[in-house]
Amino acid sequence: MEWRLFEGLSDAQRQSLAEATRRRTFARGEVLFHEGDAADSIHQIRSGAVAIRVTTQSGDLCMLDVLGPGETFGELGLLVTHRTRTATAMAVEPTETRALAYSSFDALRRADASVDRLMVRMLADHVDRLSHRLLEALYVSVERRVARRLLDLVEVYGDGTGAPVRIPLAQREIAELAGGSRPTVNEILGRLSHQGAVSLGRGQLEVLDRAVLERRAGR
């Protein structure tokens, strides 16, 4: 599994960075790093899943996203001078990553100024993702957002066979991802359960019928 970060680099550059990565493993519930920690590496998920959380004004942690195999996180540390983590990353199941130290990436940047284009692309991708989420929050109903986040999670936890997909997240966490209140999202999930789209359990749910979710998501 090659890093998307390496796309556009020469074979020699990719090999140099690949050799600089190191394997990291995390148990379910283990924090990879905390918001405000010194940022010293980028991670790519090889297996498992990682939740990205930020602190609200009230001091609570809110889940913004769940990332799966092949996805990269921690790259914003490359783009800020103070290099501190802007969010908390936590393994939501046993997870393996490959970590690349910023010092290794910086060494390549100093040797080849064209590598800065990778940073611009990473920033553009991040802004694009945030812009889409902001538009959803402003103009898309909570019901549609819940369906979209469930479909996103199917991509993280599914095996591509179309079989039912178990998502090990509580309804509270689904509400955080969808940007809705817990009572409202619980009601929406209840309706989806009655329609046979999902099965609800303690601290988890199972997606049974993606076609229903796709209709509700407006896709």
Side-chain angles (χ1 to χ4, degrees):
M1 183 187 298
E2 182 168 299
W3 288 49
R4 187 164 178 244
L5 175 64
F6 294 173
E7 292 177 1
L9 295 179
S10 68
D11 290 344
Q13 289 170 327
R14 288 199 300 270
Q15 181 65 25
S16 176
L17 287 178
E19 291 174 353
T21 65
R22 62 191 179 101
R23 178 176 176 267
R24 300 285 306 278
T25 59
F26 304 90
R28 180 179 179 179
E30 186 174 354
V31 173
L32 284 71
F33 52 75
H34 290 91
E35 184 178 352
D37 284 351
D40 60 358
S41 59
I42 312 169
H43 289 260
Q44 184 192 46
I45 302 171
R46 309 293 283 185
S47 63
V50 173
I52 305 300
R53 300 175 182 267
V54 296
T55 306
T56 67
Q57 289 186 339
S58 62
D60 297 322
L61 279 176
C62 177
M63 185 181 294
L64 291 184
D65 211 347
V66 176
L67 307 176
E71 296 191 270
T72 302
F73 60 96
E75 67 273 18
L76 283 183
L78 290 171
L79 306 169
V80 291
T81 56
H82 54 279
R83 289 197 172 175
T84 56
R85 298 296 189 187
T86 59
T88 294
M90 185 190 75
V92 291
E93 60 183 67
T95 296
E96 178 185 333
T97 73
R98 297 295 297 186
L100 174 67
Y102 289 147
S103 57
S104 298
F105 193 80
D106 280 342
L108 182 59
R109 288 181 61 206
R110 289 193 295 270
D112 185 351
S114 68
V115 174
D116 281 340
R117 289 197 299 268
L118 296 176
M119 297 177 65
V120 173
R121 186 181 66 199
M122 286 189 291
L123 180 59
D125 287 347
H126 191 77
V127 170
D128 184 61
R129 186 181 183 92
L130 289 178
S131 296
H132 277 92
R133 289 292 178 90
L134 177 59
L135 287 173
E136 282 189 342
L138 292 173
Y139 299 111
V140 176
S141 68
V142 177
E143 182 171 8
R144 183 162 288 186
R145 296 201 305 269
V146 168
R148 290 181 179 182
R149 296 296 80 78
L150 289 177
L151 288 171
D152 291 342
L153 290 167
V154 165
E155 293 300 313
V156 172
Y157 289 102
D159 59 9
T161 65
V165 176
R166 187 184 73 88
I167 297 172
L169 298 179
Q171 294 183 41
R172 168 185 55 81
E173 294 168 320
I174 301 297
E176 292 174 5
L177 288 171
S181 69
R182 185 174 179 179
T184 298
V185 172
N186 286 355
E187 182 180 343
I188 292 168
L189 291 173
R191 290 200 297 267
L192 290 172
S193 177
H194 287 309
Q195 294 164 3
V198 303
S199 173
L200 303 177
R202 184 177 180 84
Q204 66 177 20
L205 60 82
E206 190 173 26
V207 174
L208 305 174
D209 191 336
R210 270 164 268 195
V212 173
L213 293 180
E214 287 168 354
R215 289 196 297 272
R216 295 291 178 268
R219 293 181 176 176

